[in-house]
Amino acid sequence: MTIQHYLTKINTLYLTGNAREHSYRGDLQNLIMAILPDILVTNEPARVDCGAPDYVLTRKDVPIGYIEAKDIGVDLKDKKLKEQFDRYKSGLTNLIFTDYMDFHFYKGGEFVTKIAITRVEKTTPPDGHPSKGGELKTEIVPIPENFEQFVLLIKNFAQTVSQTIKSPTKLAQMMAGKPN
């Protein structure tokens, strides 16, 4: 699956007005697996000690990263998400938060970078006249200039080597999903 194919699929679902967070899950899973053919991406994996992230990425049965997805357009900086995101950041060493359009990368609980591959935009129909009721159409618009960087960030995300745990205290803190 290409990024453009992924965006076409999520836009089709988005335009129905019926799609919610889970509607896009399979499409993101397929996109990540296309970018990372040697990685297994599991949607709705078993719970881990700090919660239940939406995806786990594994290489040879070893978790290398996690993704937590929210519905399209959900503000990833929303204070209502803080407790969950803080718990995940402290318990998972390699993590992405996304709304299927924007991707925020964290390593060791620290923000690394973010990238958007699309945005929601009000657009004028091809005939130049606003659609029903004089309103503009809302749809997902690709940001193709970010596609290459996105692929590089996903590949880098998958290269992370899990940290070696040298103390029982550190192991206990990680298992409890608590910061040092």
Side-chain angles (χ1 to χ4, degrees):
M1 170 180 281
T2 65
I3 295 172
Q4 187 59 55
H5 186 227
Y6 163 76
L7 296 178
T8 299
K9 290 187 80 154
I10 66 169
N11 189 47
T12 299
L13 290 168
Y14 179 77
L15 290 174
T16 68
N18 293 322
R20 296 296 176 263
E21 174 187 326
H22 288 80
S23 305
Y24 313 104
R25 291 261 185 99
D27 296 317
L28 180 58
Q29 179 181 21
N30 290 334
L31 175 64
I32 300 297
M33 287 176 37
I35 295 170
L36 304 170
D38 64 325
I39 301 294
L40 179 62
V41 180
T42 304
N43 177 9
E44 291 293 326
R47 288 184 66 83
V48 292
D49 289 325
C50 63
D54 297 319
Y55 305 85
V56 62
L57 284 67
T58 55
R59 179 183 288 116
K60 297 180 183 173
D61 297 327
V62 176
I64 59 164
Y66 295 86
I67 301 173
E68 175 62 23
K70 297 300 177 193
D71 201 2
I72 287 178
V74 167
D75 180 2
L76 298 175
K77 301 269 185 200
D78 190 319
K79 290 180 182 178
K80 291 182 248 178
L81 302 173
K82 183 175 175 16
E83 186 276 328
Q84 178 190 32
F85 284 7
D86 285 350
R87 192 168 17 95
Y88 286 179
K89 286 187 288 188
S90 66
L92 304 169
T93 60
N94 198 26
L95 180 63
I96 296 172
F97 294 121
T98 184
D99 67 351
Y100 300 97
M101 302 184 316
D102 293 313
F103 294 79
H104 296 215
F105 294 77
Y106 289 81
K107 289 200 191 281
E110 298 297 320
F111 174 77
V112 175
T113 192
K114 66 181 179 176
I115 191 164
I117 57 172
T118 189
R119 65 185 173 275
V120 174
E121 190 174 281
K122 292 190 183 230
T123 59
T124 304
D127 64 5
H129 298 289
S131 58
K132 304 174 193 167
E135 294 182 26
L136 296 174
K137 182 176 168 185
T138 302
E139 65 182 331
I140 292 173
V141 178
I143 307 173
E145 60 270 22
N146 288 354
F147 290 3
E148 185 178 336
Q149 183 66 27
F150 172 75
V151 170
L152 292 173
L153 287 168
I154 293 295
K155 287 181 177 180
N156 182 57
F157 177 77
Q159 293 305 313
T160 298
V161 177
S162 296
Q163 65 191 36
T164 303
I165 303 164
K166 298 179 181 175
S167 79
T169 303
K170 178 66 177 170
L171 175 61
Q173 288 171 338
M174 286 178 63
M175 291 181 72
K178 297 180 181 174
N180 303 358

